[in-house]
Amino acid sequence: LNLGQPHHALHKIQVLIKDVHLPAELKDSIDINNTDMSANLNELQNATVGMTVGVIEVLCLQPFNYCKNMMQQGQPLSADPRVLYRGVMANAVNMGSCTMIQFAVGGSLKKLVSGGEQRTLKMHEEMGTGIVAGVTSALVGSPLELIMIQQQRTGKGSLETFKSIANP
């Protein structure tokens, strides 16, 4: 499933939501015609959507991420699922947390920038909110990415990997 750029992905999700059977109060609270779905959701809803898509992404792409990391490090590749998915928990926490933070912070900032008004943000407003949301999520994601890559490289468990990084 290729959703393309984030704004295209949200549009595709909006199209899918039209056919989903939701309680009337929830469906009425989501303006699916608005081009910015995240501005219509509260922080918890944005965080939930972000966490969900982040974890789904990791589960689908983990084998490719493993191959990329091993090739970059000159390590041999394995087709064993236990090896392909080594570090998947750290990666899921990483990506889930990052996208959760990006969606929650981005949605809040978009509401703040628009003054609560239902409108499409200008290019610089969209870029600014995206940059701030991305930088915020990087503060969480970078250490977790390091743990995942080290787990794949060494084959150690999460706690053992964390300890080896914290006390080199």
Side-chain angles (χ1 to χ4, degrees):
L1 177 64
N2 180 6
L3 295 176
Q5 297 297 319
H7 62 280
H8 296 299
L10 287 175
H11 175 71
K12 290 176 183 178
I13 290 169
Q14 290 167 341
V15 170
L16 292 171
I17 285 176
K18 288 182 182 179
D19 296 327
V20 173
H21 298 289
L22 296 172
E25 62 275 2
L26 181 58
K27 205 165 199 173
D28 291 342
S29 72
I30 300 173
D31 177 9
I32 58 176
N33 296 316
N34 187 332
T35 58
D36 191 0
M37 186 173 77
S38 64
N40 292 321
L41 301 176
N42 65 37
E43 286 75 15
L44 179 60
Q45 290 168 324
N46 271 317
T48 302
V49 170
M51 176 64 84
T52 302
V53 298
V55 170
I56 291 169
E57 176 188 350
V58 166
L59 295 176
C60 294
L61 298 179
Q62 178 70 17
F64 299 106
N65 200 3
Y66 159 79
C67 291
K68 173 195 68 110
N69 290 335
M70 293 300 100
M71 291 177 76
Q72 286 175 337
Q73 297 173 30
Q75 299 287 328
L77 297 177
S78 171
D80 182 349
R82 293 172 299 181
V83 175
L84 285 172
Y85 280 87
R86 185 181 294 144
V88 73
M89 289 306 295
N91 197 9
V93 169
N94 174 28
M95 190 56 65
S97 299
C98 285
T99 53
M100 177 183 72
I101 291 167
Q102 288 171 359
F103 275 59
V105 171
S108 295
L109 289 173
K110 288 175 184 180
K111 288 177 194 171
L112 182 68
V113 167
S114 70
E117 187 181 312
Q118 292 291 324
R119 66 175 176 87
T120 301
L121 296 181
K122 296 174 183 160
M123 181 70 75
H124 71 278
E125 293 171 327
E126 188 75 40
M127 289 175 61
T129 58
I131 289 169
V132 171
V135 167
T136 304
S137 71
L139 297 173
V140 172
S142 296
L144 292 171
E145 181 82 9
L146 174 63
I147 291 170
M148 181 207 54
I149 291 170
Q150 292 304 312
Q151 274 187 282
Q152 290 176 342
R153 188 177 68 76
T154 64
K156 296 178 182 175
S158 297
L159 187 58
E160 192 177 355
T161 301
F162 177 76
K163 286 179 181 178
S164 70
I165 292 170
N167 298 313

